[in-house]
Amino acid sequence: MARSIGMAGDATVFRAVIPVTYADGTTGFKSEGPYGTKGAATARVTFWRNWAVRYGCVNMEGWVEQGTVTWSRT
């Protein structure tokens, strides 16, 4: 899904990282973001944690990662 976000060149961004176990038993990670605040990324982790509990999945632990953006002309 495309979205338009504006941010300064030295902005700090956040993403929600969600561990995933696939049907074949392999594991990996999905990430959502970037978000402009830690709270927004934390909300996505909470959403997926609640979803996992609701549908009887294994107790899921996600986390928030922080990063910076480097813009360059391509």
Side-chain angles (χ1 to χ4, degrees):
M1 164 171 70
R3 60 182 165 155
S4 177
I5 58 174
M7 68 178 71
D10 60 349
T12 299
V13 293
F14 302 89
R15 70 179 182 174
V17 180
I18 312 301
V20 178
T21 302
Y22 298 98
D24 65 0
T26 61
T27 60
F29 299 96
K30 298 251 183 201
S31 60
E32 295 185 0
Y35 297 102
T37 64
K38 182 179 179 183
T42 301
R44 293 306 294 168
V45 171
T46 301
F47 169 83
W48 286 111
R49 189 175 294 143
N50 291 341
W51 182 91
V53 169
R54 180 176 183 175
Y55 290 99
C57 299
V58 178
N59 187 17
M60 191 273 302
E61 292 296 324
W63 58 88
V64 173
E65 293 180 344
Q66 175 180 323
T68 56
V69 176
T70 303
W71 296 104
S72 63
R73 195 176 256 190
T74 60

